Amino acid sequence: MNEMTPIKTTIKDWETDQEVRWCPGCGDYAILKAVQRTLPEIGADPAKTVFVSGIGCSSRFPYYMETYGFHTIHGRAPAVATGVKLANPDLDVWIITGDGDALSIGGNHTMHLLRRNLDCQVLLFNNEIYGLTKGQYSPTSRVGTRSPSTPFGSLDRPARPCAFALGSGARFVARGIDVHKNLPKVLKAAHAHKGTGFIEIFQNCIVYNDDVFAPFTAKPNAAANQLWVEHGEPLLFDGGTKGLTMDVAHLTLKVVDVVDGDWKAAGVIVHDQTNRGLAHMLVEMPQVGFPVALGVLYDDPAPTYESAVVEQNRAASEGKVGDLQKLLAKGQTWQVEKEPHVI
C-alpha cells in the first residue's frame, strides 16, 4: 500500500454542484464545511477519496463531496467501506453515520469495523434523536426524552458512542462539536492515525432536539463545561481554574480547584492519549459537576486490517502460478456423456 501523496486543492475542489439540503440551522452544515476545509489542508486527493454513508440526515453527505461516494443502506456503511478498502487499500475512506444508523441497526457492523481496525475515518453525528424519521428517540437519547415513540419519556439508558468504541477495541477515539473551531484539528488527527479513527461529533438537530447540548456548547457555558484534552498537557478547564485529578481510593476522576495556575500543587493529571483506562474514565464522567471531555481521548495505533489481508494474500500466493482450469477441476467432478432424457 502506498502512502497518500499530498496534492494542492482548495475548498472549491471538494464542493459539488448539488444543492445542500438540510434544515436551516442544522449542525450538519458546519460539519460539512469543516471536512471540506480540512481535506485541502491535509493534501488529500479527491480522485482517491471515498465517502460512504448509511441512512439518516447525515447520510446525504456523499452527494455534497466532489469525490467517490456510496449512499448505502441502514447501518451497513461499515460493511461497504470494508469492501472498498480491501478492493483498493490505497483509497482514503471516510464513513459518515448517525447515532441511530451506527448504534442501533448498525451496531453490529460498527463493532466489527472497530475491532478489525480498518484504516478509515468514522464520523458519527450524534444528535440524540432520529431526525430523518421525524423525531423518534434514538440509542443515545437521554432518559426522559419525549418523542413520538416515547410520549411519556424514554426509559432506556442511553448508549455512549465513545464508550462503545473503546469497548469494541477502537484504537482512536475522539470527540468534537459541530460548530467548534477545533473540529478540523480533530479530523486531521483521525486522518493521521493509521487504523479506524472514530469521532463522535455532537450535532444539534434544530427541529427535533434543539439545544440538547447547550449546557456545554452554548457560549456562556462553554468554558466551565468543556475540557479540550491535549496529549502531554494537564487536564484543565474553566480558564485553567479547575482541573481533573485521580481519586485513587475509588479509581475515578474528580474535579479540583486550581489556585494561581499551580495545577501541579492541585494534583491535576496530565493527559496520556495512549492510556485506554484514562480514556474510559474521560468518556464515562458524570454529566453533573464534570466537564465534557473533547478532542483526542485515545490514540494508540495497531496494525490495520487491510494490511494484514494484503500480507496474508501475498504470502499465500508466493511462488504459485494461477491455473483456473486446475481450480475448476479440483475435488469431485463428473462429465455428462449424453443429453438427459426429457419427459
Side-chain angles (χ1 to χ4, degrees), residues 17-18 22 24 32 39-40 54 59 71 78-79 83 87 141 147 163 185 188 204-205 213 222 224 269 281 310 314 330:
D17 61 357
Q18 300 297 299
W22 285 304
L32 175 64
L39 292 172
S59 293
H71 188 177
S141 296
S147 76
K185 183 178 180 181
K188 291 176 186 177
N204 189 49
C205 177
F213 303 120
I269 60 176
M281 284 188 272
V310 168
R314 185 204 62 77
K330 185 178 181 181

Side-chain angles (χ1 to χ4, degrees), residues 309-327:
V309 171
V310 168
E311 175 57 28
Q312 185 182 66
N313 290 341
R314 185 204 62 77
S317 62
E318 188 173 9
K320 298 178 181 179
V321 178
D323 188 334
L324 181 58
Q325 185 59 41
K326 184 178 179 181
L327 176 64

Side-chain angles (χ1 to χ4, degrees), residues 18-326:
Q18 300 297 299
E19 179 187 1
V20 181
R21 299 185 65 181
W22 285 304
C23 299
C26 176
D28 290 2
Y29 286 99
I31 301 172
L32 175 64
K33 284 303 176 185
V35 172
Q36 290 174 334
R37 287 196 303 269
T38 299
L39 292 172
E41 294 178 7
I42 61 178
D45 183 352
K48 294 184 178 180
T49 304
V50 184
F51 280 82
V52 184
S53 66
I55 295 297
C57 296
S58 64
S59 293
R60 301 177 64 86
F61 213 90
Y63 297 102
Y64 309 138
M65 298 299 303
E66 192 59 47
T67 66
Y68 292 104
F70 292 89
H71 188 177
T72 69
I73 56 180
H74 209 186
R76 272 64 175 185
V80 175
T82 300
V84 170
K85 192 69 176 181
L86 291 179
N88 187 351
D90 291 334
L91 293 176
D92 188 14
V93 178
W94 297 71
I95 298 175
I96 307 297
T97 187
D99 48 302
D101 186 57
L103 299 178
S104 185
I105 190 170
N108 181 50
H109 294 276
T110 304
M111 176 186 72
H112 293 304
L113 176 83
L114 295 170
R115 72 173 180 83
R116 285 174 175 148
N117 198 34
L118 190 80
D119 188 18
C120 64
Q121 294 73 237
V122 180
L123 309 189
L124 188 153
F125 297 21
N126 183 11
N127 53 24
E128 296 189 4
I129 208 77
Y130 277 109
L132 187 65
T133 48
K134 307 301 182 284
Q136 296 89 346
Y137 83 120
S138 83
T140 57
S141 296
R142 303 174 195 189
V143 173
T145 298
R146 291 180 178 270
S147 76
S149 51
T150 53
F152 303 111
S154 170
L155 299 177
D156 291 4
R157 295 177 60 189
R160 296 195 178 199
C162 288
F164 173 86
L166 287 166
S168 298
R171 308 297 303 194
F172 180 101
V173 177
R175 278 177 173 163
I177 299 172
D178 51 10
V179 297
H180 201 283
K181 64 181 181 179
N182 285 353
L183 182 56
K185 183 178 180 181
V186 178
L187 295 172
K188 291 176 186 177
H191 187 266
H193 174 87
K194 296 304 176 185
T196 305
F198 180 90
I199 307 175
E200 176 189 10
I201 303 175
F202 295 109
Q203 176 258 323
N204 189 49
C205 177
I206 196 168
V207 175
Y208 295 110
N209 212 16
D210 192 24
D211 287 338
V212 70
F213 303 120
F216 69 90
T217 60
K219 286 186 178 180
N221 306 327
N225 295 284
Q226 292 181 20
L227 169 58
W228 286 91
V229 302
E230 290 278 354
H231 182 61
E233 296 296 325
L235 295 173
L236 296 170
F237 64 103
D238 203 3
T241 62
K242 293 182 179 179
L244 296 180
T245 190
M246 184 68 70
D247 183 345
V248 180
H250 300 91
L251 293 179
T252 59
L253 297 173
K254 68 177 182 180
V255 176
V256 292
D257 293 322
V258 177
V259 179
D260 297 328
D262 193 351
W263 58 269
K264 290 184 179 179
V268 175
I269 60 176
V270 171
H271 182 50
D272 178 3
Q273 67 185 22
T274 67
N275 188 326
R276 180 181 290 271
L278 177 59
H280 270 289
M281 284 188 272
L282 288 171
V283 303
E284 294 287 3
M285 286 191 297
Q287 294 181 343
V288 179
F290 284 79
V292 175
L294 301 157
V296 179
L297 308 176
Y298 181 64
D299 185 357
D300 189 18
T304 64
Y305 180 63
E306 73 281 359
S307 63
V309 171
V310 168
E311 175 57 28
Q312 185 182 66
N313 290 341
R314 185 204 62 77
S317 62
E318 188 173 9
K320 298 178 181 179
V321 178
D323 188 334
L324 181 58
Q325 185 59 41
K326 184 178 179 181

